[in-house]
Amino acid sequence: MRLYLIGYMGSGKSTVGRKIARFAHLRFIDTDSEVEKLEGASVADVITYQGEEYFRQVERRVLEKSAEEDNVVVSTGGGLPVWGDNMERLSQLGASVYLRRTAENIISRLSPYGREKRPKFRGLNDEQLLSFMKSHMAEREPIYSKADLVIDCDTMSDSQIIDLIIKEIKNLK
Ligand code: S3P
């Protein structure tokens, strides 16, 4: 079983992914952390100094490498599915779950660090951040919603989200 968690920045993919992996005895991979290991630099620095195109190429290599694992939960960076044919590739490799949240909900959960570490959020005041997120999420929604399972997470606790995924896992490919 390969399970890919997708969704916008700050939707909780890494937290939920790590917990599912522990519960279901699966390995856990976080694509941002894998990029950081390969590059020896933070995602923010890779994007800032090497450019987004370069970052996306490394991210794709990490996606390909996840195919070497059979029992794994993969938390993907928010932009991974929308780059090139990554969504198709990810769907070939395993089951996908989209953790959907509204922009307002993500902002209410975002720590100052969570805001600062994402280059796309930097330098935006609250109002600008909300309007950027709304239009950016709307652009990505058609791709994210191709996932095998879509979960509206705004009113759910982490444990409810995890229970739902565990319950549905057997019905996913
Ligand atoms: C990005 C999301 C980030 C990270 C990078 C770009 C995006 O991952 O890969 O900053 O374009 O949505 P998270 O979704 O884990 O924040």
Side-chain angles (χ1 to χ4, degrees):
M1 146 73 54
R2 278 187 217 105
L3 185 70
Y4 293 88
L5 298 182
I6 69 171
Y8 201 69
M9 291 174 265
S11 56
K13 294 160 293 187
S14 303
T15 309
V16 164
R18 202 170 282 114
K19 289 183 181 167
I20 294 174
R22 198 176 309 138
F23 183 86
H25 305 292
L26 300 168
R27 225 199 119 198
F28 175 69
I29 294 177
D30 180 294
T31 63
D32 282 342
S33 307
E34 294 303 311
V35 170
E36 293 183 337
K37 278 188 223 157
L38 285 172
E39 292 299 307
S42 69
V43 164
D45 280 355
V46 175
I47 294 177
T48 306
Y49 299 112
Q50 315 262 36
E52 184 162 359
E53 179 70 40
Y54 178 85
F55 168 71
R56 297 301 174 190
Q57 287 168 12
V58 183
E59 202 178 35
R60 173 63 184 230
R61 286 199 343 249
V62 170
L63 174 62
E64 291 301 336
K65 214 167 175 321
S66 70
E68 293 168 11
E69 300 286 336
D70 284 331
N71 294 304
V72 66
V73 180
V74 184
S75 292
T76 61
L80 185 145
V82 300
W83 202 259
D85 67 350
N86 282 354
M87 188 65 206
E88 286 68 32
R89 183 66 182 131
L90 177 161
S91 307
Q92 287 167 354
L93 293 175
S96 50
V97 176
Y98 169 24
L99 303 184
R100 179 156 63 194
R101 291 185 187 273
T102 59
E104 288 85 351
N105 181 258
I106 290 181
I107 287 175
S108 73
R109 295 161 37 92
L110 215 53
S111 66
Y113 170 69
R115 206 158 147 161
E116 188 51 34
K117 77 170 184 184
R118 295 176 171 103
K120 289 186 167 64
F121 293 167
R122 281 191 192 150
L124 302 179
N125 65 30
D126 290 358
E127 202 185 318
Q128 290 165 332
L129 181 64
L130 183 63
S131 87
F132 169 78
M133 280 172 78
K134 283 188 167 176
S135 62
H136 201 209
M137 287 167 118
E139 268 170 41
R140 291 178 168 187
E141 177 65 22
I143 306 237
Y144 288 157
S145 57
K146 289 181 182 167
D148 299 308
L149 175 66
V150 178
I151 305 181
D152 283 305
C153 299
D154 275 10
T155 58
M156 294 173 78
S157 66
D158 280 359
S159 46
Q160 286 172 320
I161 297 167
I162 292 157
D163 286 351
L164 182 60
I165 296 175
I166 302 278
K167 191 169 116 240
E168 294 290 329
I169 246 174
K170 42 192 172 298
N171 302 323
L172 300 172
K173 59 190 169 198

